[in-house]
Amino acid sequence: PTTSGGGFTLVELIIVIALVGILAATAVPSLSTLGSSRNASAARLVQRDVSFARETAILTGTRTWVVFSPGTETYSVLAENPSNPGRANAVVMTDPGTGKSYQITLGTAGTEFAGTGIVSATFDSGAEIGFDWLGRPLNSTEPPLAALGTVTLSGGHQVTVRVGTGMVTHVAP
C-alpha cells in the first residue's frame, strides 16, 4: 500500500512565498502613508469644527468658542448662554453628528487619529478662538482677533483663521 505524506511540494511552497512577497510589497507603501493620512484627516476635522463654531455663532446670534489644549491633544466647542453672556459662562455644546459632548481628543491609541496631535494653537496670546454673531473672530479676552490665528497639527498641517472675516482654511505641508 502507498501512503501520501500530505506535505507540500517545492513548487507549491515557492508559489506561496512569491504571493506573500507580492502582497507585502503592495501593503508596505500603504502603511507608510497611514500616519500622513491621519494627520490630514485630523486637520480637516479641526477645520470643520472651527467652521461649525463660526457658522453656529452666525445662525444663533450667540458667541461660540473653540478652546484648544495642545498639552492634552484636546479641544472643545462651546457656546455662550444668551441670558448670561461672556466667555466665562460658555458651556460645551453637543455635537449634532454624534449627540455627544463636543470634546475632541486626538492622538489616542486605537482611534482613527492615533499618532496625531495638536502641536500648538495660537490666537493672539491665547489658545482659544471665539466668533461673534457676524462670524468675526475673537481672541480669548473677547476683542477682535488681531493677527492670523493658527492651529498646528502633527505632520505640519495647519488650520488658520483670518482676521476680520473668520475664514477657516486648512494648509497642508
Side-chain angles (χ1 to χ4, degrees):
T2 321
T3 59
S4 174
F8 298 102
T9 66
L10 183 58
V11 173
E12 290 172 329
L13 287 175
I14 291 173
I15 290 172
V16 168
I17 291 171
L19 288 173
V20 168
I22 291 169
L23 291 174
T26 58
V28 169
S30 297
L31 291 175
S32 67
T33 61
L34 183 59
S36 169
S37 297
R38 284 182 176 170
N39 292 334
S41 293
R44 285 190 298 272
L45 176 69
V46 171
Q47 178 188 11
R48 182 201 71 177
D49 291 344
V50 174
S51 294
F52 172 76
R54 179 176 180 268
E55 292 165 8
T56 300
I58 294 168
L59 288 171
T60 63
T62 304
R63 286 187 289 195
T64 59
W65 298 87
V66 183
V67 179
F68 292 91
S69 179
T72 59
E73 312 292 352
T74 62
Y75 65 93
S76 302
V77 181
L78 296 85
E80 291 184 11
N81 180 342
S83 62
N84 192 11
R87 164 60 187 94
N89 300 317
V91 295
V92 177
M93 296 173 60
T94 299
D95 184 339
T98 64
K100 296 179 182 176
S101 182
Y102 220 134
Q103 296 176 308
I104 307 298
T105 302
L106 302 176
T108 305
T111 68
E112 65 208 275
F113 300 113
T116 65
I118 301 170
V119 175
S120 66
T122 307
F123 300 98
D124 291 343
S125 61
E128 54 190 68
I129 182 76
F131 296 98
D132 68 10
W133 66 279
L134 292 174
R136 294 179 298 204
L138 309 169
N139 67 30
S140 60
T141 57
E142 300 184 22
L145 192 65
L148 181 73
T150 305
V151 179
T152 303
L153 293 114
S154 302
H157 291 267
Q158 290 187 328
V159 176
T160 61
V161 179
R162 293 188 188 272
V163 174
T165 64
M167 176 73 128
V168 184
T169 57
H170 166 222
V171 181

